[in-house]
Amino acid sequence: MTRRLPVWLAVLAFAGACLAPLSVHAQESKPGPKPIVPDNWQGDALRPKPDMKGIETIRFITDSDYPPFHYYDEVGALTGFNVDLAQAICEVLEVECQIKATNWNDLIPTLDRGEADAAIASIRITAEALKAADFTSRYYATPARFAARKDSELDDIRPETVEGLKVGVAKDTGHEAYLKKYFPEAAIATFDTSEDAQKALKDGAIDLVFGDGITLTFWLNGVTSESCCEFRGGPYLDSSFFGEGVGIAVKKGNRKLAEILTYGLEQVHASGRYEELFLRYFPMNFF
């Protein structure tokens, strides 16, 4: 299962970022008085409620070190976007809700052992993840983005405008594969980690960096970037390279529960509760 951001980067998420409507190669959204909540919902909020027979409690598990998605607050209570979303799902399904934290690497094994029913921990729906678990429809997706130094004059990001420019990217990732296919004339520089690529951009060793929009947002708004850089062009969305988005995982084969939770997600979205949670936890834009 693909690991998310390192903890020291995730802490910067309180600066946050909010999803905007999904469109491949759309222009960067201009700041406005209110962030735009993602227009990327998958599902049908008008379909009948699934059969809930035998389901009185849903036992959710999550991680505890990925703010603002899930973390312990100042009084030691587990909280965050994923935690509040799980509670909202239980409310619309009219079931008791239990939410506990476990180690990231133990999320799927905990489901397999039957010690929990669902994992809501910003798990990406990828081909690898689908081998280990079943998923609801996605409840958010993140784009790939380019970032450049603020003193760079490059504003128009196209294959021909980046020809010969040094573009940093983490090796063996969907982002590297995407660059090779759609920006083949760029001088692609691979790095062991996205953090190494970001440092190279800050130091002026490369012209651009290409990577996950959330990761880059945390870095751009954090102390390690020293306000060196900013987004240019994009966003870019392609499920064949970047995955289908993030969903709630259930034990492999438990499609009934996946469908019930998808219904719950649809109802939370239709009621406006999803928008309320997103605006609370993600006041800035990574699209």
Side-chain angles (χ1 to χ4, degrees), residues 7-85:
V7 176
W8 67 269
L9 258 179
V11 173
L12 300 176
F14 287 108
C18 182
L19 294 170
L22 299 188
S23 60
V24 181
H25 308 306
Q27 292 299 311
E28 184 175 351
S29 301
K30 294 182 179 180
K34 177 181 177 181
I36 300 174
V37 176
D39 185 22
N40 67 336
W41 201 257
Q42 296 179 326
D44 179 8
L46 299 179
R47 64 176 171 156
K49 185 177 182 180
D51 181 10
M52 297 288 296
K53 184 177 180 180
I55 300 179
E56 299 179 355
T57 301
I58 297 179
R59 300 168 298 165
F60 283 97
I61 50 173
T62 189
D63 197 358
S64 63
D65 65 352
Y66 191 45
F69 292 96
H70 34 262
Y71 61 98
Y72 287 109
D73 65 15
E74 63 276 4
V75 297
L78 185 64
T79 189
F81 174 73
N82 284 327
V83 175
D84 284 355
L85 182 58

Side-chain angles (χ1 to χ4, degrees), residues 189-245:
T190 60
F191 293 83
D192 289 337
T193 67
S194 58
E195 292 81 14
D196 291 339
Q198 293 157 11
K199 183 178 186 301
L201 179 63
K202 184 182 72 170
D203 295 342
I206 56 177
D207 301 296
L208 295 161
V209 70
F210 186 65
D212 175 76
I214 290 184
T215 303
L216 286 172
T217 297
F218 295 166
W219 177 64
L220 293 173
N221 290 279
V223 295
T224 59
S225 71
E226 298 178 351
S227 300
C228 68
C229 308
E230 61 189 9
F231 283 135
R232 299 289 172 87
Y236 303 89
L237 287 147
D238 189 321
S239 61
S240 62
F241 290 94
F242 312 130
E244 296 290 343

Side-chain angles (χ1 to χ4, degrees), residues 156-167:
D156 184 17
I157 305 291
R158 289 178 285 116
E160 54 269 32
T161 61
V162 302
E163 182 177 351
L165 296 183
K166 294 180 179 179
V167 182

Side-chain angles (χ1 to χ4, degrees), residues 40-44 125 136-139 244 262 265-266:
N40 67 336
W41 201 257
Q42 296 179 326
D44 179 8
I125 306 170
T136 63
S137 62
R138 72 180 178 217
Y139 60 95
E244 296 290 343
T262 291
L265 284 168
E266 292 164 349

